[in-house]
Amino acid sequence: MALLTHLLACAFGMGSWVAINGLWVELPLLVTVLPEQWDLPSYITIIIQMANVGPLFVTLMHRFRPGLLKEVAVIYVVVSVGVVACLLLAFLWNYTSPIAGRPHSTAFLLLTFFLALVDCTSSVTFLPFMMQLQPQYLTTFFIGEGLSGLIPALIALGQGSGISRCANVTRVVNITTGNETVESTIFHLETHYLPANFSTLLFFLLMTLMMLACLLAFFFLARQPKVWELSQQHLFPSSIVLSSFDQIADEGADSRLSGGCPCPKDAKGPRDILPEKVSYPLDKLTFIYLLITWVSALTNGVLPSVQSYSCLPYGNTAYHLAATLSSMANPLACIVAMLLPGRSLALLGSLTMAGTGFGAYNMAIAVMSPCPLLQQSQWGDVTIVLSWVLFTGTLSYVKVMAGVILRSRSRSALVWYGAVEQLGSLLGALLMFPLVNVYGFFKSADYCSLQCPA
């Protein structure tokens, strides 16, 4: 039974961000087809932040009308919308229409909004729901959340999305000098994209199946018996708490504490079920939430907007590997967090600084596009891919451990975790969108026809 619940929690967590992660790993193919091209990542980033109306609504309802919003019903609606949006995206992703005289992928961008609405709202609904289950299932949920990046990445690797080669193209042109016209042959390199091993239609249909798996897993999780647990915030405003429960010895009291269900004498008591309560003063709690905000701004807003600019100057293969392998780094970080948990705030702060350093390198390369450092060297390709993987891995570990710390406090702490995560993402996207799309701060170019100084 415990193994089955772990599998259900994993499948449930997998649906939290699988749709948007699927879009990110499919980008190397999408930027070659859709009219937005290299600017497409920044469009996706700002659309994801517009979808923060979902978590904002849920958070405000929790704050001003607690108990009115039924969490289970909200999750059913959210995941069902994700299934339908994924299915429609499979058939309509390349539909374009003119806006202000320029073609735009209207269907893709609109459906991306609904997928983002689903995934953003999951940040403030899925985690609080996991409070109903025993604490060990939260880490499994985070592993599933990481798999929402890993599985689409593996599918994209098998698809070979966006892989290209430089082809030598010959053209014959007529050159007229005076009254004489002479034919001349011109040789130049062009980027030729290799056909994918399977279509984008099939890719998005596979994402639809993963959303269906999430919906089915939640159906069974919602029917699991709820674990009796204490919320420091709502039940015990005083800190003189749990020890008094040890004095309650009679079976009737145990029955009332566990929600009216008689327990066998050898059943685990509240102390065995509950995680160790970790109490942090206000300044340390503020530090944790600031870490979450900063990390979310970098991983969900700032750096994704410029990934194409930092990777494509090294070629489509580098972009493809950076997009897919960095997605794999997320679940690996979750597994490391499960095996080697580190609650030290000094450790989390140090990892945040290291991840920020890798992010700064990625941003510097994007600023130098289309002629960054080590462009003509294989070391450039290796460095940019490795930098993206380490950036994602270190900051993913920080986010997971911050969630574990806050899980030990109360359900409300996890709701605010989701809220500040989306706030950070929003601030990062609002900063980057004008730089990329309005002011044209970042430059694109065809990798095969670049003319960069040696």
Side-chain angles (χ1 to χ4, degrees), residues 264-282:
K265 290 184 179 180
D266 60 347
K268 292 183 179 179
R271 179 162 293 189
D272 297 317
I273 293 173
L274 289 171
E276 180 188 352
K277 293 290 178 181
V278 179
S279 179
Y280 286 101
L282 181 61

Side-chain angles (χ1 to χ4, degrees), residues 383-394:
T383 304
I384 194 63
V385 172
L386 191 60
S387 179
W388 272 100
V389 170
L390 292 174
F391 164 75
T392 305
T394 52

Side-chain angles (χ1 to χ4, degrees), residues 18-20 23 47 76-94 106-119 200-201 203-209 211-212 215:
V18 69
I20 293 300
L23 292 182
I47 287 171
Y76 271 123
V77 171
V78 161
V79 181
S80 300
V81 169
V83 172
V84 174
C86 264
L87 184 61
L88 290 175
L89 191 63
F91 297 96
L92 301 175
W93 68 273
N94 57 352
T106 45
F108 175 83
L109 296 176
L110 181 63
L111 290 170
T112 295
F113 172 79
F114 283 104
L115 291 177
L117 188 65
V118 170
D119 292 357
T200 303
L201 166 67
F203 180 87
F204 285 128
L205 286 177
L206 291 173
M207 297 301 102
T208 306
L209 287 178
M211 289 301 299
L212 279 171
L215 183 60

